Amino acid sequence: MTVVLASVVLPVVLAVGIALAGNRGIRVAQVLAVAGPGGALAAGMSLLASERASSAVAWRSAWLSQGGASLPLGFAGDALAAVMLVIVGVVAACVVVFSWGYMAHESGRPRYFAVLMLFVAAMSALVLADNLVTLFIGWELVGACSYLLIGFWYRKPEATRAAIKAFMTTRVGDVAMLLGMAVLWRAAQTLSLDGIVAALPKMPQATVTAAALLLFVGAAGKSAQFPLHIWLPDAMEGPTPVSALIHAATMVASGVFLVARAWPVFEASGVARATMLAVGVLTALYAALVALAQTDIKKMLAYSTISQLGFMFAALGAGAWGAAMFHLATHAAFKALLFLAAGSVIHGSGTQDMDEMGGLARAMPVTAAAWTAGALALSGWWPFAGFFSKDAVIAAVAAASPGASWILVFTSAVTALYVWSATFRVFLGASRSDHAAHESGRSMLAPLAVLALLSAVAGWAGPAFTERLGAPEEHAALATIAAAVAAVAAGTALAYALYRRAPERGASLPGGLQSAARSGFGVDAAVHALVVRPAVAFAQWVARVADEKVVDRAVEGSAALTGRVGGMLARLQTGEADVYASLVAVGFVLLTAVVVWMGGR
C-alpha cells in the first residue's frame, strides 16, 4: 500500500519544493508538478487492479485518546476510493498541463502550483480516509485550497469577496457535518466507518435520521445544493483551470462522495433520502433555468455544474448511489473539458462574455471541436458519456418517484437548450468583437484532446463501473430512454431555431423571467437580506455596545482605578521615618485585631 500513501505524501513534498524554488525554478517545478496527480492516478489504478481493494488498509493510528475512546487517523483503499483517485489524477494532470500555457504570464505561479499540489494531497486524503475524522481533515483542507485559489488574484476586490463568500458559505455545511459526527460519536462511541455501520442496528431511528440529515447538509454545502449553492458562481473569479479542477470535477463532487462513503447511514433513513431527492431535483431544475439566462461563459458552466450535482443527489435520494457515482465520474470528464475549453476561448478571444464572441470555430477549430464533444456529453447525446450516466440517474429516480423523473427529463431539455445555445453563439456566425481571436498552444490543447476522448467513450464503462463498486446497475425502461432522448433533441433543436432567429441573443426566458433568472431568482439577494445583513448588524451592535461600552470601559475603568489607587498610595511615600513607624504600628494593631476576631469565631 506504499503507492496509496504516496498519493498523499508526494503532492505535499512537491508543494513545499515548488514554494521554496520560487519564480527562479518555476519552469522545472511546473513540469514536476504533474507527478502529484500522477501519484493519485497510480494509486487509483493500483487499487482497481487489486483483488484486495475492498479491505486494503494503508495506515491507521489513534490520534486523540480519552478513557476507552479514541479519535483515529487512517487511510484505507477500496474501489470507491480508487474511482475518486483516478478522477482526481486524470483531471488534475490535465489542469496542470493546461496551466503551463494559461498561467504562463502570471507572477504568482509558484503559489498557484504549490496550492494545486496541496489540493491534490488533501483530496487524496479525503477519499482514502477510513474514518470521519480523517475525512473531515481532508474536507477542510480542500476548502482552504479552494479559498486560496478563488482569491488567487487577491488584488482584485471581486476575487477576494468571492473567496470569503465561498469559505463562509461552506462553513455552514461544515458545522452541520461536525454536528452529525457528534451525533454518531455519541451513539456509536466511534467515528470509524466500519464501527458506525456495526452500531447502526442498535441506534434509535431518530438518531440515525438526525445524523444523516446533518451529514447531508455538510454534503450540500460542499456540493453547492440549493440554497447553499450561492458561493459557486462567484467562485468563477478564480483562474479557469482551478474552476475545472476544484469547482467542476473534484471538490464540489466530494459531497456526493461523502454520501456514498457513508451510504449505510443514509440507507437506514428514509427521511434523509427523501430530502436528498427533493433537494436534488429542485437544484437541478433551478440551476438549469439560471444557466439559460447567463451571458458569462464561466457562470453558465458554474450553474450547469450545480444542476448536474442536483442530478447526482436525486439519484442518491432514490437509493442509487452507484448511478450517482457513475454520473460523477462522467461529469468530471466532460465538465472539466468544457471549463478548460472555456479557458481556451477566454485566452484566445480576450473575453468571457458570450455577447462579445461569435465565429470562433474558424479561428479556434481544435477548441471548438473539444467544446462540441463536451456539449454532446453534457446534453446527453448518444454515444457520449452523459447519455449513459444521466439516463441511469433518470431511471433510478423514475423507480422511486415518477413525478421527479419527469422533472429531470424536462431539466435535460433545458440543459440541451442552454449548452447548445452557448455553442452556437460562441463558435458560429460572425464575430461580435474587435479582438482577433487565436488558437491556444499545444500545452492547452493536449488536455482538451484527452478529456474529449474520455467524454466520448467513458459512458460505455457503466456496467463494469457499477460492478467494480459493488452497486446495483440501473436499467432504464424504454419509455424513459425515449423521453430523455426526445427532450435532448427538442432542447437542441430549439436552441438552433432561436439562434437562427437572433444570433446575437440565443436562447432566453420569456418576459421578466430572463432578468430574474440571470440574478438567480433573487436567492443570493434574499440570503444577503435575511442572513448577511442581520449578522453584520448584530456584529456591529456587539462592537458598539458590548465591546466599546462594556468591555472597553471595564478595561479602561480598571486601569483608571489602578492609577488613582496608586496615586493615593504614592502619597504615603514621604521619606519620613516617624510616618513609616506610625503606619507599621497601625498595621500591627489592625492585624492583631483581625487575628483575635477570627480566633474568637
Side-chain angles (χ1 to χ4, degrees):
M1 297 298 291
T2 304
V3 68
V4 174
L5 290 177
S7 67
V8 179
V9 176
L10 178 59
V12 174
V13 174
L14 288 169
V16 174
I18 292 170
L20 292 176
N23 283 315
R24 289 175 297 179
I26 189 59
R27 291 189 177 180
V28 175
Q30 68 182 11
V31 174
L32 294 177
V34 179
L41 177 60
M45 296 301 293
S46 173
L47 285 173
L48 287 176
S50 173
E51 295 298 326
R52 300 182 297 107
S54 60
S55 59
V57 176
W59 175 79
R60 184 176 294 158
S61 175
W63 180 36
L64 297 175
S65 298
Q66 179 64 41
S70 65
L71 293 178
L73 289 179
F75 302 111
D78 61 5
L80 185 60
V83 167
M84 291 298 295
L85 285 173
V86 170
I87 292 171
V88 171
V90 171
V91 177
C94 290
V95 165
V96 168
V97 175
F98 187 90
S99 298
W100 295 349
Y102 192 86
M103 303 295 289
H105 303 293
E106 294 293 337
S107 59
R109 282 185 296 164
R111 172 166 49 91
Y112 173 83
F113 283 103
V115 178
L116 275 186
M117 293 301 99
L118 283 178
F119 171 80
V120 172
M123 196 70 198
S124 297
L126 189 159
V127 303
L128 286 168
D130 74 338
N131 60 82
L132 291 179
V133 176
T134 310
L135 189 150
F136 189 75
I137 292 172
W139 186 273
E140 290 300 298
L141 286 174
V142 296
C145 292
S146 170
Y147 166 80
L148 293 172
L149 289 169
I150 293 171
F152 175 77
W153 290 303
Y154 56 87
R155 292 184 178 89
K156 185 179 177 183
E158 294 84 356
T160 302
R161 286 195 296 267
I164 294 172
K165 183 177 181 178
F167 191 82
M168 296 302 295
T169 304
T170 53
R171 293 292 75 71
V172 175
D174 294 353
V175 170
M177 182 177 172
L178 268 178
L179 293 174
M181 291 167 60
V183 171
L184 290 172
W185 170 268
R186 182 178 178 84
Q189 292 300 301
T190 181
L191 288 175
S192 166
L193 291 166
D194 292 338
I196 292 171
V197 172
L200 276 175
K202 302 177 183 178
M203 292 186 194
Q205 185 61 44
T207 300
V208 176
T209 296
L213 288 173
L214 288 167
L215 292 179
F216 167 63
V217 175
K222 195 71 82 180
S223 292
Q225 294 298 283
F226 185 92
L228 297 177
H229 67 281
I230 55 175
W231 66 271
L232 186 55
D234 287 17
M236 298 303 105
E237 291 293 342
T240 303
V242 169
S243 302
L245 174 63
I246 298 180
H247 306 122
T250 55
M251 186 197 82
V252 293
S254 59
V256 179
F257 171 81
L258 170 64
V259 177
R261 172 61 78 201
W263 180 245
V265 177
F266 292 90
E267 189 177 28
S269 174
V271 173
R273 294 199 310 276
T275 302
M276 281 195 295
L277 176 59
V279 172
V281 171
L282 172 62
T283 303
L285 178 59
Y286 161 83
L289 292 173
V290 177
L292 183 59
Q294 302 304 308
T295 58
D296 184 309
I297 191 170
K298 287 181 67 177
K299 282 198 172 182
M300 182 270 290
L301 291 176
Y303 278 107
S304 173
T305 299
I306 296 170
S307 179
Q308 295 304 304
L309 290 167
F311 273 84
M312 298 174 209
F313 275 99
L316 291 170
W321 66 273
M325 288 301 301
F326 182 40
H327 194 48
L328 184 156
T330 61
H331 176 264
F334 63 71
K335 188 54 63 66
L337 169 62
L338 286 170
F339 264 108
L340 291 185
S344 180
V345 166
I346 295 167
H347 184 268
S349 66
T351 181
Q352 58 192 59
D353 189 343
M354 291 186 285
D355 289 341
E356 300 175 4
M357 297 179 186
L360 292 182
R362 293 185 295 273
M364 309 178 71
V366 179
T367 299
W371 173 281
T372 302
L376 287 166
L378 172 60
S379 55
W381 278 102
W382 186 90
F384 287 79
F387 171 85
F388 298 95
S389 61
K390 191 154 57 175
D391 278 8
V393 169
I394 294 175
V397 173
S401 173
S405 71
W406 284 110
I407 296 176
L408 293 183
V409 168
F410 176 74
T411 303
S412 296
V414 179
T415 301
L417 177 59
Y418 70 67
V419 73
W420 287 109
S421 177
T423 303
F424 299 145
R425 293 178 66 198
V426 171
F427 293 103
L428 301 185
S431 175
R432 296 182 294 277
S433 173
D434 296 331
H435 184 90
H438 61 85
E439 186 63 278
S440 301
R442 293 180 181 177
S443 66
M444 295 172 65
L445 296 179
L448 298 184
V450 172
L451 292 171
L453 178 62
L454 291 174
S455 299
V457 304
W460 296 97
F465 183 94
T466 52
E467 180 182 359
R468 191 69 183 87
L469 288 182
E473 186 178 355
E474 303 297 330
H475 298 283
L478 183 60
T480 303
I481 296 176
V485 170
V488 171
T492 306
L494 181 58
Y496 185 73
L498 293 173
Y499 165 76
R500 294 290 295 174
R501 180 183 299 177
E504 71 285 353
R505 287 182 55 195
S508 61
L509 292 168
L513 285 177
Q514 178 71 6
S515 59
R518 184 168 296 179
S519 64
F521 292 106
V523 174
D524 207 331
V527 171
H528 188 78
L530 299 175
V531 179
V532 177
R533 285 182 184 173
V536 171
F538 177 72
Q540 290 173 340
W541 177 86
V542 170
R544 185 175 62 255
V545 178
D547 188 37
E548 293 180 7
K549 295 184 178 181
V550 178
V551 177
D552 287 356
R553 289 188 180 181
V555 173
E556 293 167 359
S558 63
L561 179 61
T562 302
R564 291 176 183 177
V565 172
M568 293 172 60
L569 294 175
R571 296 175 185 174
L572 300 175
Q573 305 299 318
T574 63
E576 298 178 3
D578 56 341
V579 174
Y580 294 158
S582 300
L583 292 174
V584 170
V586 171
F588 176 76
V589 171
L590 290 175
L591 287 174
T592 301
V594 170
V595 170
V596 171
W597 177 74
M598 293 185 67
R601 291 174 63 87

